[in-house]
Every structure is written in structure tokens, then in C-alpha cells.
Amino acid sequence: MKKKTRDIFFVFIAAIVIFAVTAIAMVFPSGDDGFITEKAFEGDKEIVLTTAQPVKNVPAAEAFTVFEENDPDIQVHPQSVSVDGKKIHLTFSDRLNQSNAHMVKAPELAEGTGPVATEVSRSYWGFLLSILISALLINNYVFTKYLGLCVFMGTSKRKTTATGMGIVFTIVMLLSAVMSWLANRYILVPFHLDFLQVVVFIGLVSLTVQAVDTILRKVNPILFNAFGVFLVLVIANCIIIAVPLYMASNQYNLIETIMLALGAGGGFLLALYLMSSVRERLELAQIPECFKGLPIAFIVAGQFALAFLGFSGLQIG
Amino acid sequence: MANELSKGQLVARGLLSQNPVFKLALSMCPAVGMSTSIKTGLMLGVAVLFVQVFSSLTISLFKNWIHPRIRIPTYTLTIATWVTVIDLVLSAAFPAAYAEMGIFIKLIVAFAIITMRLEMFACKETVSDSLFDAVGMGLGFMFGMVTIGFVRELLGSGMVFGYDLLGFKPLLFFILPCAGFFVVGLMMAFFNWIEAKYRDAREQKS
């Protein structure tokens, strides 16, 4: 039984990782624009272009024209231009809105290559990946946002229960996030019913839980016997309502919402698995009487939270 | 099912022997995440007290009309309604404090303590008993939040209720977000220790 739990856990984590790796593979498309080989945003105010040959004619900053693709009338010039071998750094005085694609136009930079016109945009797959990894590790809902702790403490005593809870939670999270997105996009926003967010989202969660409960009971009774008990607990988990609220306030689209839900669910599963591994060992350890049970679990969770602080420097996308 | 405890005992039970934070361990998210100072703890405590009292009253009034099979969704929607009310009131009346609380006011809807009191108490007992039980639980939660907030504020920034009391910062660590776990863990252990001492003393006497 123990081995089976571990298998389920690894298969599930592996599925998420494979998905992430596929996404990474698509982050770096082989972009070939002739003279300009690579282009990217750097920091808030910089665009870096990499050229195929060293740059000979360095133009003045005013010679570069940059505008957002969907707004060609508003053109800006970089504040300063610096060339370092094959790299051209364009620094701007104001922040660039990196969620929009930017067009960069420049005069001829080397003999016989012609004027440059290229499009700089943040990779969308990279952005999606950053949502997933951020919800999974950097902003792990349990260890850095302190949500879902009641269920977290209640179900992390055994690896079997921890894995079961994590998987059921991820599935319900995914379903209810998609439904909340639909409700938010097509009902709440068009009719200006934003103040009903809490009622509608939690209603959809209860609906999903009830539906999964009924369907699973009929379709796969064995699975229901294993995981049915966790379904009710899903409602008492703050994460399940925090994700739709976060999605609504950031105006995510459907794919971004799915990534956020996967990251939040996977992060919860990861946290549960880590915690249950420690707690199984704690049972054999000699702990002062008054620390037994929940107090020591909280202190362990605090140490995990300290460790997860280390992810806060991670930058993706 | 009749309830044999008096009104005063109902309130006292929520405050002490069944304190939702330290004893039942049922509302840990805010106890860890929102307890950096007394002020935020008190604000959230008031909001939870409000939601707990009004949802208990609502469910207790309508308990005979609620079909047992749909009781959990009914509880959730009732709580969500009252959470929306307090959310709108707080954002209009105290915009600065509301901004500080962030998403946590809306998250009251998923706090296990409220649903659990509805399931365990309000759906069986009379309206007045439910009212006192809810007041007790709400006050117990507020007491827990204020105590944790007091410890973290005093040790972390040397202040109490925003007034500089010590003039120096004894342990900056306690104001860090993740220190919430340590403080809650240590306080739970402390209460367990006191209880064990008290029990030992009583056993020796008898």
C-alpha cells in the first residue's frame, strides 16, 4: 500500500513536470530574423538585441523608434544606446509594458544589411510557465501564503492520506477554477456583478464537489472508497476560493487560469507530501510531551516556510 | 437534542476549553498569516465574530427547512452572503485597514471554524443557544488572534498596539511572515504545558 501511494504521487508530479518541460522547450523558439538573432526584454526598461555580426555604425538614440504593436501612433525613443560587441542595449526612461509586443525600427547597423525592423515580445509560453512555477514553488500557497492550513495539518499524518487529499484537491481545483473563469468572464464582468464574486465562486466549488462526489460514486466505487472522504474537506480549504479571486483580480484568460490552478493544486500536493514524510518520522522521535502532535507540526511547517523563502529570488519568463 | 450548558458556559467554552485557535486548531490560516500585529488580528476577529454570529442565527432559524443532503452547500452559501456583507461594509468604512487585510476578509468564507460550528451546533440547537455559542467562538477566535498578535508585535517590533513600548526590537525574526508558524506552535505547546501542570496538581490533591 505504501509503495502504491508513492507511485501515485510520482506519476502525478511527473505529469506536471513533463507538462512544464514541454512548455520550456517551446519557450526558446528558433527565431531567425536575418541580421537580428535574438531579442528580449531585460529588467523593466531595457531591450537587448543580439546581432549576427558586430555592429559597425552605431546610430544615435533618436534613430531608434519603438512602439507597441497595437498602438503604432505612440512612438518612443530610447534614452541611451550602448553597444557591446554583438549586443545592443536600448535603455528607456519609462517602464515598458512587457505584456504587449513591441516593434523596434532602426537604420542600417552594419554594411549591406539594410534597415532593421523587428518585433520584441515576451514569450507567452514563458509567461504561462512562470505562472505555474510561481504558484508551485515561489508563491506556494501553503508555505508562503499560509492558506489551507487546517486541511494541511489534518491530512498530513500519513503519506497515503496526504497523496489522496492532494490529488483530489488538484482535480477539484482545476474543475472549479475553469467554471469560475467562465462565470466571471461571461456573467459577473458583463453585468457588473463583481461584488457577488465570493458567493458565486464558493457556490461553484460546492457544486463541483457535489458533482464529483455523485459521479465518482456511480462510475468508480473503488476510487470513491479511496478518495471520497477527502471531497468534503476540499470546501474547507481557503486555497480553493483564493485561486478564483486571484484569477479575477489579475484578469487571467482561460489557459492562464488552468496553469494557476495546476500550480496551486500541485503546490498543495507537494507541501502535503513533504510534511507527511516528516510527520511519519516524528512519530518515532522522542519529543517533549507538551510538543506532541500539532505544536511540533507547526514548528516543522515553519522550517519548511523558511526553506521556501529561498525560492523567492527565482526569476522566470 | 437539548443542550445542558448554560448561556455563560457556552460563551466560556468558546473562549477557553474549546478555543478555536489553540484547542480545536480550526482557523490556522489567519492565525499564521494575519497575526503580525494586534490591530490586524482584532479587525479580522471582529469580522469573523460578525460572520459567525449571523450565519449561526440564520442556519438555526431555518434548520427545519434545510434538507440534510444539501446542508453543506447551504451553509457555504449562507456564510458567503454574510462575508460579502462584511466585505462591502469594511471596504467602505475602513478603506486603509481593509487594504492591509487584503484577500483575507473574503477568505473567511472558507474558514473551517464557521462551517464546523454550523454543522456541530447551530443545525441542532435553539436560536438563543446558537447565538451564545457563536459569540463564544467568535470571541475565542478574536482572543487567539490578539494573543498571537501581541506576542509577535512585542517581540518583533517592540511595540504594543502601535505604541513603542520597549524602544528596541528584541527579536526581529518574529515579524517575518513565516514566524507565524513558530509562534503558533510554541504557544500551543505552552498551553498544553499549563494544562498538564494543572491536571497534575489536581490529581495530587485528590
Side-chain angles (χ1 to χ4, degrees):
Chain A
M1 192 63 203
K2 223 175 166 185
K3 193 155 180 289
K4 199 177 152 201
T5 320
R6 209 166 51 205
D7 289 348
I8 296 175
F9 173 76
F10 282 124
V11 166
F12 205 76
I13 285 286
I16 293 181
V17 169
I18 288 171
F19 190 68
V21 169
T22 330
I24 292 178
M26 296 175 94
V27 169
F28 304 107
S30 53
D32 196 350
D33 244 337
F35 183 60
I36 304 285
T37 51
E38 264 176 51
K39 59 254 172 158
F41 290 109
E42 198 168 289
D44 287 341
K45 302 178 178 175
E46 225 179 294
I47 291 179
V48 181
L49 305 173
T50 313
T51 54
Q53 308 156 27
V55 178
K56 294 274 164 51
N57 331 330
V58 182
E62 286 76 36
F64 285 89
T65 323
V66 177
F67 54 88
E68 290 184 15
E69 200 185 21
N70 46 5
D71 228 354
D73 296 336
I74 307 171
Q75 304 194 340
V76 289
H77 302 289
Q79 197 180 29
S80 64
V81 174
S82 67
V83 176
D84 140 37
K86 290 182 179 177
K87 280 200 161 120
I88 309 170
H89 296 259
L90 309 179
T91 314
F92 296 85
S93 51
D94 293 317
R95 288 184 59 152
L96 299 169
N97 181 4
Q98 300 190 356
S99 43
N100 291 333
H102 283 65
M103 288 295 289
V104 178
K105 289 191 170 169
E108 199 173 64
L109 295 174
E111 301 272 324
T113 52
V116 174
T118 182
E119 186 187 309
V120 187
S121 63
R122 199 161 52 165
S123 158
Y124 190 60
W125 279 96
F127 179 58
L128 287 183
L129 185 72
S130 80
I131 295 179
L132 179 81
I133 298 291
S134 161
L136 197 66
L137 297 175
I138 306 168
N139 288 317
N140 185 295
Y141 275 87
V142 177
F143 290 134
T144 58
K145 292 197 176 163
Y146 320 109
L147 298 179
L149 291 177
C150 314
V151 179
F152 174 68
M153 289 299 172
T155 57
S156 62
K157 278 192 192 119
R158 290 262 166 280
K159 275 185 201 155
T160 8
T161 41
T163 322
M165 181 67 215
I167 291 174
V168 170
F169 177 76
T170 312
I171 293 165
V172 177
M173 176 83 261
L174 197 60
L175 290 176
S176 67
V178 170
M179 279 168 45
S180 308
W181 181 83
L182 289 172
N184 189 49
R185 174 78 179 69
Y186 294 107
I187 298 170
L188 295 187
V189 173
F191 294 103
H192 302 288
L193 293 170
D194 298 356
F195 64 95
L196 283 180
Q197 270 177 359
V198 176
V199 179
V200 170
F201 292 164
I202 200 77
L204 284 172
V205 173
S206 328
L207 206 73
T208 321
V209 168
Q210 206 79 11
V212 172
D213 186 289
T214 316
I215 295 171
L216 205 64
R217 201 189 289 261
K218 293 276 181 218
V219 173
N220 196 336
I222 301 169
L223 208 64
F224 180 79
N225 281 340
F227 290 146
V229 274
F230 304 120
L231 275 171
V232 184
L233 283 175
V234 170
I235 286 194
N237 193 331
C238 322
I239 304 176
I240 203 114
I241 184 77
V243 166
L245 289 173
Y246 190 75
M247 169 272 288
S249 70
N250 279 309
Q251 299 176 338
Y252 280 170
N253 67 24
L254 183 59
I255 302 175
E256 290 160 0
T257 308
I258 291 176
M259 296 301 262
L260 179 69
L262 268 184
F268 189 64
L269 174 65
L270 180 74
L272 270 177
Y273 192 75
L274 288 174
M275 190 68 185
S276 61
S277 318
V278 175
R279 281 182 81 174
E280 278 188 353
R281 283 174 182 239
L282 278 181
E283 275 179 15
L284 302 172
Q286 284 192 317
I287 307 166
E289 192 59 42
C290 58
F291 271 97
K292 272 194 181 139
L294 273 179
I296 192 74
F298 266 92
I299 291 181
V300 171
Q303 288 169 331
F304 271 124
L306 271 181
F308 268 72
L309 271 184
F311 285 117
S312 60
L314 210 62
Q315 281 256 336
I316 312 147
Chain B
M1 192 178 88
N3 178 49
E4 58 279 1
L5 293 170
S6 74
K7 314 273 188 246
Q9 276 172 318
L10 279 174
V11 176
R13 184 177 71 170
L15 263 174
L16 300 169
S17 69
Q18 288 196 10
N19 187 293
V21 178
F22 298 117
K23 284 289 161 200
L24 303 179
L26 267 182
S27 35
M28 303 323 299
C29 324
V32 172
M34 282 311 297
S35 58
T36 40
S37 70
I38 298 181
K39 209 177 122 208
T40 51
L42 201 63
M43 281 279 294
L44 198 64
V46 171
V48 168
L49 180 67
F50 174 87
V51 176
Q52 175 80 74
V53 166
F54 279 90
S55 342
S56 273
L57 279 181
T58 318
I59 292 294
S60 192
L61 271 174
F62 292 100
K63 59 178 179 285
N64 295 331
W65 286 283
I66 299 170
H67 192 279
R69 279 192 59 191
I70 56 152
R71 65 184 198 286
I72 301 279
T74 318
Y75 298 161
T76 323
L77 286 180
T78 313
I79 299 170
T81 313
W82 289 112
V83 167
T84 310
V85 170
I86 190 81
D87 188 53
L88 293 177
V89 168
L90 283 182
S91 66
F94 307 99
Y98 178 79
E100 214 174 301
M101 314 282 293
I103 201 171
F104 261 93
I105 294 281
K106 284 182 177 148
L107 289 183
I108 293 178
V109 76
F111 285 3
I113 176 68
I114 299 174
T115 321
M116 200 199 125
R117 283 336 280 179
L118 298 185
E119 167 82 8
M120 305 281 288
F121 202 92
C123 69
K124 299 172 199 154
E125 308 287 345
T126 60
V127 176
S128 62
D129 277 354
S130 305
L131 171 68
F132 282 97
D133 178 69
V135 170
M137 284 294 154
L139 285 177
F141 175 79
M142 207 196 287
F143 167 71
M145 288 295 288
V146 169
T147 325
I148 302 172
F150 172 75
V151 171
R152 287 183 71 179
E153 204 180 349
L154 184 68
L155 291 178
S157 52
M159 296 198 286
V160 171
F161 227 97
Y163 296 105
D164 208 333
L165 207 68
L166 298 178
F168 67 100
K169 294 173 179 172
L171 275 167
L172 198 59
F173 172 70
F174 280 103
I175 214 77
L176 285 180
C178 54
F181 282 114
F182 291 94
V183 176
V184 173
L186 289 174
M187 287 186 79
M188 276 179 164
F190 178 69
F191 279 105
N192 281 351
W193 181 70
I194 288 188
E195 204 184 326
K197 286 270 164 205
Y198 179 72
R199 204 172 44 221
D200 284 354
R202 207 170 44 185
E203 271 167 14
Q204 271 171 6
K205 233 183 250 174
S206 60

